[in-house]
Amino acid sequence: MLDILIKNGTVIDGMGKPANKADIAIQDGKITAIESVIKAKSLQTIDASDRIVSPGFIDIQNHSDSYWTILDQPSQFSLLSQGITTIVMGNCGASLAPLLSKESIKSIQKWHNLSGVNVDWMTMAEFLQYLGNVPHGVNVGTLVGHSTIRRGILGDSTRPVSDDEIKIMKNILTNALDQGAFGMSMGLVYAHEVNSSEQELRTLATVLNPKQKYLSVHLRSEDSHILESLDEVIDLALIASVPIKISHLKVRGKKNWPLFERLMTKLEIAYHQGINISFDVYPYDTSWSVLYTYLPKWTYEGGRDQILKMIGDPVTRRKIWDYLKAQEYDFDKVIVSEASSAPNFVGKSLKQIGDNQSVSAEEATLNVLLAGGAQVMVFDHNLSNEHVELLCASPLSMIATDGAGHSTEHPHLIHPRCFGTMPRFLRMIRENKLLKWEQAIMKITSEPAKLLGLPNLGQLAKDKLADVVIFDPKTITDKADYKNASLVSVGIDGVIVNGKLSYTNQEVVGLNGMVIKR
Ligand SMILES: [Zn+2]
């Protein structure tokens, strides 16, 4: 007796083979047969006529850990409801393990207020075991965050590390990788990584190669210095001989958009030189960032307290103001999404806040940072839609949320990508014909699985793990927007995780995710 029989679906296997009509048999968490007609008896039969049946989607760039929702919202509703069955956390330099001291958890405090959180683990092994004690809606794995290791050693200091400290960091990274992490992430723009030396980055990246694990990098600049930032990671990939994935690739700010073409050319050249380089992209023209990264780099080299001190000092404040002015940010399009200690600013643009306070938008930016204790998140409508389409269609891209799992209730404004990324991408495939369905599905299934080194995930074939999505190609679409970020996507009929139906009729019907390791 089968557990699930999916009948009459149009099967897209995730590996790029042409779609074909077939039935799929599932038993004990695995796919046991894919044939034109399967007649065996089954506990559950799903009619997938006029539907596409594909592998479950893999979110290679996920932040459910840094927003803490992996711990307090195990169903990960917003992800499961868009067909995601596996997530990889620990991105942008911040992971929840390994912790050298409880203080090293602070690497996530730019995204989440840490007051009242309880940490019951130290090593990667302990963390993964802790995660495994609770059932989750999706399969969960993690990278090791560079900033997390750095904070373990340096605490609140952001100084360069010594040679001896690099050796210690190398050991910590090695152990965490051996305990099941998929690779390492860097967030080179952030306060606790900006001062990392070339030697530090190279030494750590070199640890990944013999273990065949990858490096995920949030570039040092996504605006005027993006080309140099890309060169930096290409050099790193070459020297360390390591697969590299750039996180949420984009060119921020209209005046920097002309750099896009050269950016793409550089990526293609690197790829043709044999570097294993890829990137992920979210299909939206609005970024979601930590506001302090809009300031000059020298203001946040010393961490959050230093930022606040500098803004409080009239002379330094003037210098920062001059810098902000010179950047020509479009403050009308920068909307505060979260400022826990100053909630009255949420939902307003920096320009609007300035108008209300009868000051310039630059002044308002500094006021908001000060009032929000430098823990402020913003939406910025600063990306080109044309770029978004080109990035999605690039042979080097994967599509990922760069968001977190949420329920439909959440205390702050969240980016609609947390609910809508995959359905929105698939709608773009239908409407704009960017790619064939078969190619599009590879970007959210087998390609991320390959980077992870998990050949049993991300494809529909006999003996592979039964993570499956059934969707309607004619109606699939995102619904979430910036005002109503928790509107559930439509067209996802069923999501099967580890051989069990987990989502149907817009409801979670089972938590069947597992902790995944490499
Ligand atoms: Zn990032």
Side-chain angles (χ1 to χ4, degrees):
M1 178 80 87
L2 301 173
D3 293 331
I4 300 179
L5 177 58
I6 306 170
K7 296 284 291 177
N8 310 315
T10 300
V11 174
I12 293 186
D13 73 346
M15 299 294 281
K17 257 198 267 155
N20 76 310
K21 282 244 158 30
D23 294 350
I24 299 184
I26 293 172
Q27 201 171 359
D28 299 329
K30 285 192 175 166
I31 295 169
T32 53
I34 302 183
E35 286 160 24
S36 51
V37 180
I38 297 174
K39 288 210 162 130
K41 283 216 160 92
S42 177
L43 292 172
Q44 200 167 20
T45 301
I46 299 172
D47 179 20
S49 304
D50 303 321
R51 301 291 188 264
I52 286 178
V53 183
S54 97
F57 306 148
I58 300 176
D59 188 14
I60 194 78
Q61 168 77 26
N62 183 281
H63 276 292
S64 287
D65 51 351
S66 35
Y67 289 98
W68 209 254
T69 66
I70 196 64
L71 296 160
D72 59 21
Q73 293 173 41
S75 85
Q76 297 284 289
F77 177 82
S78 69
L79 302 177
L80 198 53
S81 64
Q82 50 179 309
I84 291 169
T85 54
T86 297
I87 64 173
V88 183
M89 312 184 298
N91 284 290
C92 300
S95 58
L96 297 187
L99 306 177
L100 254 74
S101 72
K102 303 258 171 181
E103 289 284 288
S104 21
I105 198 82
K106 280 186 177 172
S107 68
I108 67 161
Q109 73 181 359
K110 40 191 173 293
W111 295 284
H112 184 73
N113 185 345
L114 287 170
S115 57
V117 308
N118 197 14
V119 179
D120 265 340
W121 61 85
M122 297 298 270
T123 65
M124 180 58 73
E126 287 165 359
F127 172 62
L128 294 176
Q129 193 180 8
Y130 183 88
L131 272 186
N133 288 339
V134 178
H136 291 88
V138 293
N139 298 314
V140 185
T142 188
L143 301 167
V144 182
H146 175 218
S147 173
T148 302
I149 301 182
R150 246 179 159 258
R151 296 205 69 140
I153 292 172
L154 297 182
D156 287 341
S157 166
T158 58
R159 65 169 166 82
V161 290
S162 68
D163 288 354
D164 283 345
E165 285 166 336
I166 294 180
K167 273 187 207 137
I168 300 172
M169 291 172 80
K170 199 175 157 183
N171 281 336
I172 296 165
L173 173 63
T174 304
N175 289 337
L177 292 171
D178 289 344
Q179 290 166 14
F182 286 93
M184 179 181 184
S185 77
M186 292 175 178
L188 298 175
V189 70
Y190 292 117
H192 289 268
E193 292 186 52
V194 280
N195 290 323
S196 313
S197 68
E198 219 171 72
Q199 194 213 344
E200 174 187 343
L201 300 181
R202 286 177 183 181
T203 307
L204 294 175
T206 310
V207 176
L208 298 163
N209 169 300
K211 300 178 190 296
Q212 294 177 302
K213 300 198 174 189
Y214 73 100
L215 182 63
S216 170
V217 184
H218 177 145
L219 295 176
R220 202 176 283 277
S221 163
E222 295 182 327
D223 40 51
S224 54
H225 294 290
I226 191 166
L227 297 178
E228 298 91 302
S229 301
L230 179 62
D231 286 340
E232 179 185 22
V233 303
I234 289 175
D235 281 352
L236 193 56
L238 252 181
I239 286 166
S241 167
V242 67
I244 200 151
K245 176 194 70 78
I246 299 164
S247 297
H248 44 66
L249 187 64
K250 56 187 169 295
V251 180
R252 284 161 50 146
K254 203 167 183 175
K255 71 167 183 157
N256 303 309
W257 290 355
L259 299 174
F260 183 78
E261 226 179 277
R262 275 162 69 201
L263 179 82
M264 297 311 276
T265 308
K266 268 181 189 289
L267 280 165
E268 278 156 34
I269 292 173
Y271 177 77
H272 288 297
Q273 282 171 341
I275 298 175
N276 184 343
I277 193 163
S278 58
F279 62 86
D280 62 79
V281 54
Y282 49 80
Y284 292 84
D285 65 1
T286 299
S287 63
W288 190 20
S289 318
V290 177
L291 183 57
Y292 78 59
T293 59
Y294 284 61
L295 305 184
K297 186 183 140 193
W298 50 263
T299 57
Y300 52 87
E301 281 172 344
R304 269 191 320 130
D305 292 344
Q306 203 60 29
I307 298 170
L308 297 173
K309 222 162 117 189
M310 287 189 187
I311 298 176
D313 172 71
V315 178
T316 324
R317 185 180 173 111
R318 177 70 213 189
K319 272 198 219 158
I320 305 174
W321 191 95
D322 288 341
Y323 172 90
L324 286 175
K325 187 81 190 163
Q327 297 307 301
E328 298 170 34
Y329 292 129
D330 198 347
F331 288 108
D332 207 13
K333 293 185 173 162
V334 185
I335 317 282
V336 177
S337 71
E338 185 178 343
S340 27
S341 53
N344 48 321
F345 294 132
V346 171
K348 298 192 177 88
S349 77
L350 292 171
K351 165 90 170 45
Q352 234 174 331
I353 295 169
D355 290 348
N356 292 346
Q357 296 181 340
S358 306
V359 297
S360 66
E362 288 82 5
E363 205 68 41
T365 303
L366 299 173
N367 292 344
V368 170
L369 276 165
L370 212 50
Q375 275 174 321
V376 181
M377 298 283 300
V378 291
F379 296 142
D380 194 342
H381 301 275
N382 60 356
L383 309 178
S384 146
N385 262 311
E386 192 196 333
H387 294 174
V388 170
E389 289 204 351
L390 289 167
L391 290 168
C392 286
S394 161
L396 300 184
S397 73
M398 293 174 276
I399 315 303
T401 68
D402 190 39
H406 289 276
S407 66
T408 50
E409 307 280 320
H410 34 80
H412 313 290
L413 290 184
I414 62 169
H415 194 291
R417 67 194 192 214
C418 297
F419 272 80
T421 295
M422 301 301 180
R424 184 181 178 87
F425 169 60
L426 295 172
R427 170 171 65 81
M428 284 162 62
I429 298 303
R430 175 180 62 238
E431 289 178 354
N432 307 355
K433 314 237 174 324
L434 292 180
L435 298 164
K436 289 184 184 160
W437 285 103
E438 290 88 343
Q439 294 170 306
I441 297 291
M442 286 173 76
K443 288 180 177 290
I444 47 181
T445 59
S446 65
E447 285 173 14
K450 198 166 139 200
L451 188 63
L452 294 170
L454 295 177
N456 282 324
L457 273 191
Q459 53 176 304
L460 297 182
K462 191 171 181 296
D463 297 329
K464 302 292 177 187
L465 295 175
D467 291 341
V468 183
V469 183
I470 299 151
F471 68 90
D472 185 345
K474 289 198 266 333
T475 62
I476 189 162
T477 193
D478 57 311
K479 289 286 179 189
D481 59 27
Y482 298 91
K483 294 223 161 63
N484 289 302
S486 49
L487 295 177
V488 182
S489 300
V490 299
I492 302 272
D493 289 355
V495 183
I496 295 166
V497 180
N498 291 310
K500 299 196 181 83
L501 189 63
S502 300
Y503 177 84
T504 186
N505 294 322
Q506 301 217 324
E507 264 177 46
V508 174
V509 294
L511 302 185
N512 300 301
M514 296 189 294
V515 169
I516 54 167
K517 296 179 199 177
R518 180 163 180 215

